[in-house]
Amino acid sequence: MRTAPTILHLDMDAFYASAEQAAKPSLRGKAVVVGGLGPRGVVATASYEARVFGVRSAMPMAQARRLAPNAAYLVPRFGLYRAISEQVMGLLHALSPLVEPLSLDEAFVDLEAGDAAWDETSARLVGERLRADIRGLTGLTGSVGLAASKMLAKIASEEAKPDGLVVIEPGTERALLEPMPVRILPGVGPATGDHLRRAGITTVGDIAEAGEDELVRLLGKAHGHALYAMALARDDRPVVAEREAKSVSVEDTYDVDIHDRIRVGTEVGRLADRCVRRLRAAGLSGRTIVLKVRRYDFSTLTRSETLRGPTDDPAVVREAAARLLESVDTTGGVRLLGVGVSGLADYTQEDLFAQAAGERERERESGHTDEPEELPAERQTAPAERRWPAGHDVRHAEFGHGWVQGSGLGRVTVRFETPGSQPGRVRTFRVDDPDLEPADPLPLVPLISEGPQEQGAGESAYASSEPASLPKSCSASSKADGGATSRP
């Protein structure tokens, strides 16, 4: 195990909600909740202002509304979040070849592998510069933890939140961990935590005191050994640059249970198409098709079928998913459906193309063609079909760029403002107003160019300025000032 704190963990602060606040001047400093807005939706991210009321990630949206009825509730804009994430990950890859993304807003970096840092002083300067670069490039903030292991670096970034930097100095790890709750350790979830609590073990120090043999007796050999080692601050897990995907899947939860068997079949086909698009985007194919069905009583069934070889053909995946659905009783209603592909490979079995071609020929004969990427033109242009998700971007022919505050009863309310403007005015339109159209997100940070540049309607652009650099003489400031702190 290394001794210098050269493992960096970055965690963007309330990422989705912070991106929405940066994009919408009227929401800055206000409680913002991002997630599914239906009766069964859950919170994806809550701003720090919303967390004051007790709103947390993974909380049912209905509970969040009770806790913070005056917050802004928005539907996620994953295209925007992915674009920002790519910018941030680009900064991390500039530091080291060993970057291990955990999600859109979180990653480990091995600074030593990129010769970016070799001791506490150099690691601290890299962390400070990274935070400044992220703010300059995206307008958002991230918290940085630096330590000699992945486990400790992640704990440090949690201690640094929001908008701070914490370094766990070599030799202080045991003293830091001892008073912390057992749930702070990787692999200790609610069930393991309850099991340890019943045994009188509530802190990391209790784990160390209990001893390895007792941990093995309580949790089994593999888990017991690993947990005891982590309680002693031993974590030799390397930063892994490429994390191989084991499966690709998509699923939808429905606000109202689906009872119509025909609609269930249609939804399964639509999910199969979405799954294949995601599969192809990753350059993969798969042999095993998996269907997931959660019924009205919350019972969850999975069915799978393994093909002769890997495929990325939508017709083949749809056909297999439909066969799997035939074995599932959906009489009482369905609340969730999912389609996945596992047994992944980076090639397809040639003989399956013939099978898919035959399937497409049968579809043409029946009048049904495979067009997963686009809705039929008449559905795209029919005003009654247009939906206006809360928080999504729009553009009006007269009033310009704005975002949807809400819609219903044939009306849509729009606030007209941009990331660089003052809080804008609110106007209400018919949902079928021909002058109102969906738009792409605007950049959170203005583009830097040699001369004035006008952005066209609906144009999506993201800041491409060079990362800002701090002077090498920059010293650590207090966390309250957005600077760095050491963990004694």
Side-chain angles (χ1 to χ4, degrees):
M1 178 175 171
R2 72 184 73 195
T3 56
T6 53
I7 299 294
L8 181 148
H9 182 259
L10 170 71
D11 196 350
M12 299 294 288
D13 298 321
F15 182 46
Y16 299 169
S18 294
E20 298 298 345
Q21 289 176 318
K24 302 172 172 64
S26 58
L27 297 184
R28 292 169 191 169
K30 306 288 182 60
V32 174
V33 181
V34 180
L37 303 189
R40 294 171 178 167
V42 297
V43 175
T45 307
S47 70
Y48 287 99
E49 296 85 354
R51 295 180 191 187
V52 171
F53 298 97
V55 180
R56 295 289 184 270
S57 299
M59 174 182 288
M61 192 62 75
Q63 182 181 355
R65 288 186 183 275
R66 289 193 296 270
L67 293 172
N70 297 320
Y73 289 86
L74 307 177
V75 176
R77 295 187 295 163
F78 288 109
L80 171 65
Y81 310 148
R82 278 193 291 268
I84 300 170
S85 176
E86 288 173 2
Q87 291 180 301
V88 173
M89 295 301 166
L91 293 175
L92 301 184
H93 282 286
L95 296 174
S96 172
L98 292 184
V99 177
E100 182 178 341
L102 304 179
S103 62
L104 289 177
D105 62 335
E106 186 180 1
F108 287 109
V109 184
D110 188 333
L111 299 178
E112 191 173 309
D115 291 327
W118 49 91
D119 59 12
E120 180 186 344
T121 301
S122 58
R124 184 187 298 277
L125 287 174
V126 169
E128 290 169 345
R129 186 169 61 248
L130 174 63
R131 292 178 56 244
D133 289 347
I134 289 172
R135 186 188 291 272
L137 189 60
T138 69
L140 305 180
T141 64
S143 295
V144 169
L146 288 157
S149 69
K150 289 168 67 173
M151 177 188 73
L152 293 168
K154 184 171 175 60
I155 290 173
S157 70
E158 285 296 319
E159 292 288 299
K161 282 188 169 293
D163 190 19
L165 183 151
V166 166
V167 179
I168 298 181
E169 299 175 359
T172 68
E173 298 91 348
R174 289 284 302 275
L176 167 70
L177 286 175
E178 283 182 356
M180 289 187 167
V182 294
R183 290 288 302 277
I184 200 73
L185 298 179
V188 181
T192 301
D194 287 343
H195 192 48
L196 292 172
R197 180 179 53 79
R198 288 193 294 270
I201 299 173
T202 60
T203 68
V204 177
D206 292 338
I207 292 177
E209 186 177 348
E212 189 169 13
D213 291 342
E214 178 66 8
L215 266 293
V216 169
R217 186 186 69 80
L218 289 171
L219 304 175
K221 186 174 181 179
H223 200 182
H225 284 312
L227 202 59
Y228 181 71
M230 286 188 288
L232 299 180
R234 299 172 187 163
D235 178 21
D236 295 326
R237 294 175 300 158
V239 176
V240 181
E242 298 295 335
R243 308 183 79 199
E244 184 178 355
K246 296 182 179 180
S247 65
V248 173
S249 63
V250 296
E251 62 182 42
D252 276 345
T253 300
Y254 303 98
D255 293 341
V256 178
D257 290 349
I258 303 176
H259 293 83
D260 184 350
R261 182 76 176 187
I262 295 177
R263 188 190 165 194
V264 172
T266 301
E267 291 293 317
V268 167
R270 183 180 60 82
L271 289 166
D273 290 338
R274 280 175 52 197
C275 183
V276 169
R277 290 201 293 273
R278 185 172 294 183
L279 196 69
R280 287 179 168 180
L284 298 170
S285 60
R287 297 183 66 235
T288 301
I289 314 303
V290 181
L291 174 69
K292 177 180 177 181
V293 180
R294 180 166 297 151
R295 298 189 291 189
Y296 68 99
D297 58 356
F298 288 89
S299 61
T300 301
L301 305 176
T302 58
R303 299 288 186 269
S304 64
E305 175 182 322
T306 299
L307 306 174
R308 289 174 293 171
T311 184
D312 65 353
D313 190 286
V316 174
V317 177
R318 275 203 313 272
E319 182 183 24
R323 285 195 300 270
L324 294 170
L325 180 61
E326 292 174 0
S327 65
V328 178
D329 180 12
T330 62
T331 305
V334 170
R335 59 185 292 122
L336 178 147
L337 291 168
V339 174
V341 177
S342 61
L344 300 182
D346 57 2
Y347 66 95
T348 58
Q349 188 79 12
E350 291 185 358
D351 62 358
L352 287 175
F353 288 122
Q355 178 183 348
E359 181 66 25
R360 285 194 292 271
E361 181 63 30
R362 288 191 293 274
E363 289 175 344
R364 283 194 293 270
E365 292 175 356
S366 65
H368 175 261
T369 57
D370 174 31
E371 297 289 346
E373 297 293 339
E374 300 290 342
L375 292 172
E378 63 272 16
R379 288 187 61 192
Q380 287 183 316
T381 58
E385 293 291 332
R386 294 207 296 179
R387 295 178 62 251
W388 304 103
H392 282 222
D393 295 83
V394 295
R395 188 170 186 85
H396 191 273
E398 179 180 354
F399 302 110
H401 194 96
W403 57 278
V404 176
Q405 278 202 329
S407 63
L409 301 177
R411 296 287 186 268
V412 54
T413 301
V414 178
R415 184 180 289 274
F416 289 97
E417 61 185 7
T418 63
S421 73
Q422 296 296 316
R425 294 187 59 183
V426 175
R427 298 180 184 273
T428 299
F429 308 91
R430 300 192 319 271
V431 294
D432 58 352
D433 190 317
D435 290 335
L436 189 67
E437 294 291 340
D440 289 333
L442 296 178
L444 301 185
V445 175
L447 289 167
I448 295 177
S449 60
E450 295 180 358
Q453 179 177 335
E454 184 176 349
Q455 183 172 317
E459 185 177 334
S460 178
Y462 294 88
S464 57
S465 58
E466 289 297 319
S469 294
L470 294 179
K472 291 185 178 180
S473 60
C474 177
S475 60
S477 57
S478 69
K479 180 179 174 183
D481 294 327
T485 60
S486 289
R487 193 71 195 177

